Every structure is written in C-alpha cells, then in structure tokens.
Amino acid sequence: MLDFPRWKIGSIIGLLAALCLLAIPSFLPESTTSQWGRIPHPHINLGLDLAGGSYLLLEADTADLAATRIEAMRDSVAGTMRNGTPRIEIGDISTRGGQLSFLLRDPSQVDAARERLLAITGGGAGMSGQREWDINVVDTSRFVLKPTEAGLTQAVDTAMKDATEVVRRRIDELGTKEPTIVRQGATRIVVQVPGLKNPQALKDLLGKTAKLEFKLVDETANPADLVKGIAPIGSQVLPYPGNPRGVPFIAVKRSVIISGDQLADARQEFEPQTNAPQVAITFDAVGGRRFAKVTTENTGKPFAIILDNSVISAPNINEPILGGRASISGNFTVESANSLAISLRSGKLPVALKTIAESTVSPDLGKDSIRAGVLASIVAALLVIVFMFVTYGRFGLYANLAVVINILVIVAVMAMLNATLTLPGIAGFVLTIGTAVDANVLINERIREERRRGRSVIQSVELGYKEASRTIFEANVTHAITGVIMLLLGSGPVKGFAVVLLIGICTSVFTAVTFTRMMVALWLRKNRPTTINI
C-alpha cells in the first residue's frame, strides 16, 4: 500500500500539475484567455443564473400540427388518385371536422381506391405498429379518413424531436455559448441562453415556423370573394398584407411549386438597385431543376412567395430562373432579413411553438450569485482547513493540500468537459469540500485506532489506508448512484448540481486517498519516524 515507485510518483504529480494548470483559465477573464492563441485554455461556462440571460418555455401547437397532417394527407390522396394507373376520378376533398372525405365518381373503383389509401397511410399502421388513420367507406362511394389518437401522439413525438433540433440550430446561428435546450414533457421545450442581451429577438426567432413555399397565383379568383375567404376549386385564400391591389388577401394554387425543404442556403443581402435588405436563397440540385422547369413553363404569370401561410410578395415570372437562386424582398430591415435567413437555413419547425413562460436574469444578479457562492466556498474551505490541521496535524496538512488540489481538478475537469456551472453547481462545490476530507477523516481515525492497539507507525499507516479504503469506496459508490439518478432524471438546477457532485466524487477519492497516501509514504520513507502525532 505504501510502495510508490518513481514512475507512479511522476505520473501522479504530472497528472495533477497538468490539471491544475488547465484550471487556471477559468479563473481569468475570457478577454485575457482569448489572446493566448493556440495555447489550450478550456473555460467553464456559466449558467443562466450566473451569467444572466433569457429563459423561455415553449409549447407546441398540437392543433396546428393536426391540421398540417390533414393538409399533407390531402395532397397525397389527390396525387395518388389522379396520377396512378388507372386514374381514379374523385370530387373535391373536404377537410372539415378534422377529417378527410371525398367522393368517387365511379363506385366500381372502391377497392382500387382503398388499396391506394392503404399504401399512402402505411397499411393503416405507423412505425409503432398502431393504426394512424381510420379508413371508412360511407354510402358505397364516399371515403372518410380520420386520424387516430395514437397516430397524432406519434406525430407529436416525432415533431417535438425535430423541433428541438431546429431550435438548437437556430440558437447556434446566433453565436450564443452553451445554451440549454431540453425537451420537457410531451409538448414543451425549455430554452436557456446565458448572456443573451435581446430576449425579444430570441422569441421572434424561435416563434417563427419558417415554412417557406412557392405557389402559383390563381388569377381567376374574384377579389370580392377573397374577402369572404372563398377561392376557386383547387386554390386557397391566404393573407397578403402588402398586396398592391389593396385587398389584403390573394388566391394561390394548393399545389406547391417548391418548398423550403429544398433550400441549400439563405443569406441576408442588399438589393443592387435600391440597396434595400433582402434574403437571397439558393436551392439544392433537385430544387434548382424544379424551379427552373416551373418558371420556364409559367413565364409571364405571377407566383406567390409564402412564409408561414402568409404571402410576402407575388412577383411576375418575367423570364425563366435557371441559376437555382432567387431572392425574397419585402419590408425588411437588416435585422429581420437576417433573422429570416437564419430561420430558413436552420429548417422549418415541424410544429408551431408558442412562448408560455419567460424570464430574464440580469448579469448583476448573476454577479451577486457568483460573489455569494465564492464567499461560501472560501469560508467552507478555510473552516475545513483549520479543523483538519488542528485535529490531525501533519496528516491534516496533507488532507488540506488534497482539498485545494481537488478544487482545482474539479474546475479543470468541468472545463475540459465543456460543462456549465450553475448556482446549484456552486452548492455542489461547497458540499464537495466537506466530503473531500471525509475520506481522510476515516483514514486518520483508523490510523489512530491501529496506534492505540500498539502497532508500529508503518503498520498503522498501511492498515489505516487499506481498511478505510473499503469504507470510502462503498460510501462514494452510494453517493455516485444518487448523483447518476439526479443526472438522468433531473433537469436544470438538479442536473447542474449532479454534474459537480459526480465529478467531485471521482476527483476527491483520487486526491484524498491516492495523493495523500503518496505524500505520507514519501515522508515515512525519508524520515523513518518511530512515533506520530495524529
């Protein structure tokens, strides 16, 4: 137990020295460490409660998702029936009452129509094995498709996973550091962005679905009917706030020419002639070919650029657009154009999100929390150091040195893991200071007991470390199990506390047992004492 060859001594000292050096950048201002160039300088990130910033609780609009699913199924049904072989003639598809219904013109094609519906609905069952759509035939020739509860639940779960990733990409585009984006429950997402100075911009960015579509304008629509929401068959009425004709509505074809899913890039630029802000978009290879084909076939006709079911502009196609690039112009500012570009680059949200709770933490409050936490840590460390030195003398001094090194090692490990320190994390630091010396208390008391039994100094120290190590290991395993449970099941402050606790458990065992045993072994080897004060 007390045998430490030179290679082991060098390894322990080298490892701890390297970790202590890696902890230094976290105690320096980031403006200083950023000038170090290629020198490694991992830095602990401060959480929302310490650095200040914005907190948002977003909730999915499941009603909007259900309507979107029905509209998507409507397009699939229309395309499958009319483009298949043989062609199945159907009447207009109704979406009233949260279900799809349409009438077959030829009742003899009921079986063929059912087969095609089963194909596009996945045979009536989704990936979970549960039926997503109920298909019924009414009055021998009318089909009714109704989404099931299980299908909607599965769709919400899939949409929330995708929405969480889209939110993450959008916030990353803002250049913020270490945002916390976690799903809460079935339909909510928690967003914490430390250091953000403009929470309203974040709300606007995350609240934008960014569903971009290009559709042809239906020029046969009657302006008087548009106000009433009436559009010709195969078209729909959408709001058009900037309509130069004065009517804030416009009729567009239901079929989508091209969608935002086929975008390769979107950037804020300036219009060459007027220098007005605009958004330049670039389509991928498939989208570029599709856009070129449609603009070639419809030269001279207007088409609508639609964002989140609202028309931004409806220019004429003066000539074929062959380069796979287009621009979106409107009443943009530089900020709003850049925000739209970010939304389009990161992809559309599969479900609309609305803010149901928000709060802003000022940096001043965070500084007060840091000051209070640091003060608590210093006071706790000093009290522990004094107690250990008075109680155990030289062995207490070794324990104190291990505590100081343990604090630096925790900081270094958190910095290398890119972890975020929160106010509960500081509480974990304070707790770690106390528990770090707990192992040395057990060891020192066991050495005292062995000395009272009349054993020699070497035997007492060796047995003290050997026997106490078992208890230390078992006690820390139970702590670690609790920490893992908090880490897996907790969120926010609980998770922040668990991270520091788990790191502290691992580092404290190493410093309190291995490091102090090495120092004691070196002292015993050099001085060969016949008695010790402990």
Side-chain angles (χ1 to χ4, degrees):
M1 288 291 290
L2 296 178
D3 182 26
F4 278 85
R6 290 185 178 181
W7 68 265
K8 183 180 289 188
I9 296 173
S11 299
I12 294 174
I13 294 177
L15 174 62
L16 294 179
L19 290 174
C20 290
L21 289 175
L22 290 175
I24 294 176
S26 295
F27 296 99
L28 300 176
E30 195 167 351
S31 58
T32 301
T33 57
S34 61
Q35 299 176 1
W36 290 4
R38 296 184 179 181
I39 300 176
H41 53 276
H43 206 283
I44 286 183
N45 302 292
L46 299 181
L48 182 67
D49 49 2
L50 299 179
S54 296
Y55 166 91
L56 295 178
L57 179 60
L58 308 174
E59 186 173 53
D61 186 351
T62 55
D64 176 75
L65 178 62
T68 301
R69 289 185 75 224
I70 290 177
E71 284 298 324
M73 182 57 69
R74 174 187 184 141
D75 294 340
S76 296
V77 169
T80 300
M81 296 300 172
R82 292 168 182 167
N83 298 329
T85 303
R87 179 186 177 95
I88 298 178
E89 296 290 344
I90 63 174
D92 192 31
I93 302 176
S94 171
T95 58
R96 279 177 286 194
Q99 61 185 18
L100 288 176
S101 65
F102 61 90
L103 183 68
L104 290 181
R105 300 194 186 279
D106 183 359
S108 66
Q109 294 181 308
V110 168
D111 291 338
R114 182 187 294 274
E115 289 296 325
R116 294 187 189 181
L117 290 177
L118 288 174
I120 63 176
T121 59
M127 296 177 62
S128 62
Q130 296 177 308
R131 185 180 297 275
E132 295 187 9
W133 293 86
D134 286 329
I135 304 173
N136 299 301
V137 181
V138 182
D139 298 332
T140 69
S141 61
R142 177 174 291 278
F143 277 87
V144 177
L145 280 73
K146 187 174 182 179
T148 64
E149 194 66 32
L152 181 59
T153 300
Q154 178 67 25
V156 169
D157 183 64
T158 301
M160 288 302 295
K161 291 178 182 176
D162 294 340
T164 302
E165 186 58 33
V166 171
V167 167
R168 190 183 311 279
R169 288 200 300 265
R170 291 186 181 181
I171 293 179
D172 288 343
E173 289 275 0
L174 290 176
T176 56
K177 293 186 177 181
E178 293 306 310
T180 300
I181 305 162
V182 294
R183 184 173 167 186
Q184 186 180 82
T187 60
R188 293 182 176 181
I189 300 174
V190 174
V191 178
Q192 296 181 2
V193 186
L196 186 67
K197 298 180 180 179
N198 190 356
Q200 186 59 44
L202 178 64
K203 286 176 57 180
D204 294 342
L205 180 64
L206 299 184
K208 188 179 296 180
T209 307
K211 179 184 178 183
L212 180 67
E213 296 174 318
F214 292 77
K215 296 182 178 182
L216 290 174
V217 175
D218 190 341
E219 298 180 276
T220 65
N222 187 340
D225 292 336
L226 294 180
V227 179
K228 301 176 185 179
I230 301 174
I233 295 176
S235 298
Q236 64 182 134
V237 178
L238 292 179
Y240 184 14
N243 194 342
R245 297 184 179 181
V247 181
F249 299 97
I250 191 172
V252 299
K253 299 290 186 180
R254 288 190 179 274
S255 58
V256 179
I257 298 176
I258 196 169
S259 68
D261 295 334
Q262 295 167 310
L263 287 184
D265 194 17
R267 300 287 170 184
Q268 183 271 316
E269 293 182 354
F270 294 96
E271 206 279 327
Q273 297 179 347
T274 64
N275 205 37
Q278 64 179 15
V279 178
I281 56 178
T282 304
F283 298 108
D284 60 19
V286 175
R289 288 194 298 268
R290 172 68 177 164
F291 197 57
K293 181 176 182 295
V294 172
T295 54
T296 300
E297 295 174 350
N298 295 277
T299 301
K301 298 179 181 179
F303 72 100
I305 302 174
I306 306 164
L307 180 67
D308 293 344
N309 293 321
S310 180
V311 177
I312 298 177
S313 61
N316 281 324
I317 304 174
N318 296 324
E319 58 185 13
I321 304 175
L322 306 177
R325 287 177 55 88
S327 61
I328 304 174
S329 58
N331 296 321
F332 290 124
T333 63
V334 174
E335 290 77 14
S336 62
N338 187 59
S339 176
L340 175 58
I342 290 174
S343 300
L344 295 177
R345 282 199 305 272
S346 59
K348 73 176 182 180
L349 284 170
V351 60
L353 299 174
K354 55 185 177 181
T355 303
I356 61 173
E358 62 176 301
S359 62
T360 302
V361 180
S362 69
D364 292 336
L365 182 58
K367 290 179 181 177
D368 291 339
S369 300
I370 295 175
R371 190 179 301 111
V374 170
L375 179 61
S377 301
I378 293 175
V379 171
L382 289 176
L383 291 177
V384 168
I385 288 172
V386 171
F387 171 80
M388 291 298 293
F389 183 72
V390 170
T391 306
Y392 299 111
R394 173 182 289 275
F395 286 77
L397 180 63
Y398 293 152
N400 291 335
L401 182 57
V403 168
V404 174
I405 292 178
N406 182 51
I407 294 174
L408 295 176
V409 170
I410 293 175
V411 172
V413 173
M414 290 187 67
M416 289 190 298
L417 294 178
N418 208 20
T420 299
L421 180 64
T422 61
L423 190 57
I426 294 180
F429 256 111
V430 177
L431 179 62
T432 301
I433 293 172
T435 57
V437 298
D438 182 58
N440 291 113
V441 170
L442 292 174
I443 293 169
N444 294 339
E445 288 298 327
R446 188 56 189 258
I447 294 174
R448 279 182 175 179
E449 183 178 340
E450 296 300 330
R451 286 292 291 162
R452 284 195 293 267
R453 291 177 179 177
R455 298 186 186 277
S456 66
V457 172
I458 299 293
Q459 289 178 328
S460 297
V461 172
E462 186 166 3
L463 286 174
Y465 273 98
K466 181 178 180 180
E467 298 300 327
S469 295
R470 300 175 184 174
T471 305
I472 294 168
F473 177 76
E474 293 171 358
N476 281 281
V477 166
T478 58
H479 287 167
I481 292 173
T482 305
V484 169
I485 293 174
M486 288 191 294
L487 183 65
L488 295 177
L489 302 182
S491 61
V494 175
K495 185 169 290 189
F497 177 82
V499 169
V500 178
L501 179 63
L502 288 172
I503 295 175
I505 289 173
C506 298
T507 59
S508 64
V509 170
F510 180 75
T511 56
V513 179
T514 304
F515 179 63
T516 59
R517 189 171 77 240
M518 182 192 74
M519 289 190 293
V520 171
L522 293 177
W523 175 69
L524 291 176
R525 183 187 302 173
K526 180 180 179 181
N527 294 280
R528 301 288 180 178
T530 57
T531 183
I532 53 175
N533 295 320
I534 187 172

